[in-house]
Amino acid sequence: MPSEIELSRSHGSIASFASFDGTSISCRRPGSGPPVVTVHGSGGGLHSWQPVAEHVADRFELWTPARRAYAPSGPGRSPKRFADEVGDLEALIAEIGRPVHLVGMSYGATVALHAAAAGLPVRSLVLWERPLYAAGEELTPVLTEFEELIANGDRRRAERLLAERVARVPVALLDSMDAGEPADGEPDEAPGWRGDLASMAADSPDVERWSTVTAPTLLRRGADTWQPMPAALERLATALPRVTRTAFPGQLHFAPSTIPRAVAEEIPRFLPRP
């Protein structure tokens, strides 16, 4: 009998597979061509790369998983570590059966770097604004406060805490974006955020370790994204041995959602063809 992954190759439906520890990981698979695996950021899911995927599915076989702890994938073990998500990617690549290009957004870009550094069969990396500075024990009190706010049912303040203390979004920008209380029926992303925070708190801010990543890497950012993101990306660029940089004029961290066609067009320009 064909596996769910095999069925998704022909039907493009949501499929799932068991990762190294038995965690169920769900993914979509649109398109055909060289395999590209997208890794979404914090507070994301199956939908995160969809706006971009629509513009490149005619050239690539896209695999768009929901990371562990983000529905409909399973919760995985706790506390989560980056090694767990590297294991998930390793299991997915084994299902695909050939080396892949990895495209990571924000936190997902960090996962992609860990995967490449671990020696997974990665042909190239396309990374969108990896939050290089969001790592280490300084995030432990943020995780504690986040858990307290979620336990008290204060989801709005919990999300604001993450934006201010982890993403370091300027307060004025946050105020202009404030959409009020989360609407009923919105997916509960607290388990995913909790796992991501635990991974970041246990990680290292050391940049030089990424010098072992030899895959060709495209670093992309919005030209108007707030500090310290641009400075952090510049430090990463100095550590990577094979790096290309590009910036999107007039854009912030959210460009993959606001200008998906322009973001998508950079992918086939960079990725090596067979």
Side-chain angles (χ1 to χ4, degrees):
M1 291 291 290
S3 68
E4 286 189 65
I5 287 287
E6 289 169 338
L7 288 172
S8 78
R9 288 181 185 272
S10 58
H11 296 290
S13 58
I14 297 175
S16 63
F17 63 94
S19 191
F20 69 95
D21 61 351
T23 298
S24 177
I25 304 296
S26 297
C27 64
R28 284 197 176 98
R29 180 252 165 223
S32 61
V36 173
V37 176
T38 63
V39 191
H40 67 80
S42 295
L46 289 174
H47 62 282
S48 297
W49 279 106
Q50 188 59 34
V52 172
E54 292 174 357
H55 299 292
V56 292
D58 60 334
R59 285 166 282 187
F60 299 100
E61 177 184 278
L62 296 176
W63 294 87
T64 60
R67 294 190 290 101
R68 58 175 55 210
Y70 287 95
S73 292
R77 54 190 180 184
S78 183
K80 190 185 74 174
R81 296 292 182 261
F82 279 110
D84 296 323
E85 300 195 84
V86 170
D88 296 339
L89 286 175
E90 185 174 21
L92 177 56
I93 294 171
E95 292 279 356
I96 295 170
R98 48 187 171 148
V100 303
H101 303 288
L102 278 185
V103 180
M105 179 192 305
S106 194
Y107 175 98
T110 308
V111 175
L113 277 170
H114 276 280
L120 268 60
V122 174
R123 295 185 62 197
S124 68
L125 297 170
V126 177
L127 308 180
W128 179 267
E129 294 199 353
R130 179 201 178 230
L132 194 69
Y133 48 84
E137 60 184 17
E138 67 180 44
L139 290 180
T140 300
V142 180
L143 174 58
T144 300
E145 186 175 351
F146 175 81
E147 291 176 331
E148 292 173 351
L149 289 169
I150 292 297
N152 292 330
D154 199 338
R155 184 172 161 188
R156 181 182 179 185
R157 285 184 59 197
E159 291 177 353
R160 176 93 181 198
L161 171 74
L162 298 174
E164 290 183 353
R165 301 274 298 279
V166 181
R168 302 192 192 177
V169 183
V171 172
L173 178 58
L174 275 177
D175 290 341
S176 69
M177 297 166 50
D178 193 347
E181 293 295 334
D184 292 339
E186 284 189 6
D188 182 10
E189 295 169 344
W193 263 112
R194 184 183 295 112
D196 292 355
L197 276 170
S199 293
M200 289 187 283
D203 200 27
S204 167
D206 175 42
V207 177
E208 293 305 317
R209 58 184 167 153
W210 305 122
S211 62
T212 63
V213 175
T214 57
T217 302
L218 175 63
L219 292 182
R220 307 189 298 169
R221 70 176 182 89
D224 293 348
T225 294
W226 55 88
Q227 292 289 0
M229 190 83 71
L233 290 173
E234 287 300 311
R235 292 198 300 275
L236 177 59
T238 64
L240 292 169
R242 302 174 65 187
V243 65
T244 301
R245 287 173 281 185
T246 185
F248 292 80
Q251 295 299 316
L252 298 170
H253 189 62
F254 320 107
S257 296
T258 58
I259 55 166
R261 180 182 293 276
V263 171
E265 287 173 351
E266 291 292 325
I267 295 176
R269 290 176 187 156
F270 176 75
L271 295 187
R273 304 294 289 182

